[in-house]
Amino acid sequence: MSFGKRLRVARQSAGQTQAELGAAADVSNTYIAHLEKGRRAPNPELVERLEESLGLEPGTLGAPEEWSPNGRKRQLKATLLANFEQAVLLRESGSTVDLVPQLNAIIEDARLQGQRDLVWLACRMRVESEMDAGAIDAASQHAVELLEMARRTNDSTLTAVAETKCASLERLKGNEAAARSHGAAAVIASMRDGVSREHRADALCAAIAAGGAQVAEWATMLRTIYPTLDVGSMKGRTAWVLANVAFADEDIDEGLRWQDEASRHLTPAGQFRSWVKWPAVAAQVRVNVGVLDGVADLLEEARVRVALSASDEEMAGLAASEARYLVAIKDRESARRVLLEALESLEVGVASRGHLRLELSEVAAADGDLAEASAAALSAAKFFTEAGSLREAQRAFEQWTALQPTV
């Protein structure tokens, strides 16, 4: 309730007219009317006289920042910024519980207050949070809205950021052509004047992940940018992508070198979430290319970091990486146990459940349990479809098809 409304309620409760209150407080009845309608702001001395005239306890009519319309606006802005800062801390800590509804409320309030910069930042974080939770369809829809906002501003940085998000999401959905189109657009926007090296590197990372004929060219550009990046999370993520490029080119030594670079630059102070995820992802990449050296140490470090994040999503990712390693060292029984425990105990999104089910299908197939393998693959396909991750759904369905008996 505003100061003016509190004053009117208090005056009416005291049975006084505006003229009577004005006389007691040594102001005109017109001034009292202006105060009640929010057209004037009182000074502290007048508020004291008003409260005394109405027989109120000091402070009943509110704090000084609430007495004027401008003060109220400042208070609302401060509250909005505090809510956004809390959302940032929650996301960085790995907590996704109720984060998207919080961001929706922040976006609505920021729009009402005309805080366009904050609308953009909250919309961007909403896309990232939905991606983290595996809500690919929702994230994709909001990424398109983010791109429309960026294009309206004609700002190259915002356009590069939005195109980068769209490229990543289209890749997750399995739309390779769209992913490559957005990736190329992100790189083009990032090359314009005024766009930071960090945003340029981020765009190149997304474009490389999307694939296509220009990957080698973009990787060369990314290697050129790398030494100029500030030490921190973006430098670590860039090294992470360049490691994957090297492994894809079967240059194992170069891949391991870039992984060491990523490990040096990903720190909890830089970007907590990337720091938490890194060891498990690095371990899985090594297993995928047949390099088991150092994987056990990476998984041990991953357990420590994931425990600090207390995130079920990160725990699910770790379980998948551990299972992949256990299969590689011929301990399929332990791999199956790890996956089943994760499926039973973790509260995760449908995309993560799909990944765990698909890993379980591969373990069961290797054990010769084709019935369990088939059921797990079909379940994974359903989870991925629900999440909107059509590429992964297709992979799971192909796994199911391969497990069916031939006639």
Coordinates of all heavy atoms in Angstrom, one line a residue, residues 32 60 330 392:
I32 N -3.3 18.0 1.6 CA -3.6 16.6 2.1 C -4.2 15.8 1.0 O -3.8 14.6 0.8 CB -4.6 16.7 3.3 CG1 -4.0 17.4 4.5 CG2 -5.1 15.3 3.7 CD1 -2.8 16.7 5.1
T60 N 4.3 4.4 11.2 CA 3.0 3.7 10.8 C 2.8 4.1 9.3 O 2.3 3.2 8.5 CB 1.8 4.2 11.6 OG1 2.1 3.8 13.0 CG2 0.6 3.4 11.1
K330 N 35.2 -53.2 -18.5 CA 34.6 -54.5 -18.4 C 33.9 -54.8 -17.0 O 33.7 -56.0 -16.6 CB 35.6 -55.7 -18.6 CG 36.5 -55.5 -19.9 CD 35.7 -55.3 -21.1 CE 36.6 -55.2 -22.4 NZ 35.9 -55.0 -23.6
E392 N 18.5 -36.9 -30.1 CA 18.8 -37.9 -29.2 C 17.6 -39.0 -29.2 O 17.9 -40.2 -29.0 CB 18.9 -37.4 -27.7 CG 20.1 -36.4 -27.6 CD 21.4 -37.2 -27.8 OE1 21.5 -38.4 -27.5 OE2 22.3 -36.5 -28.2

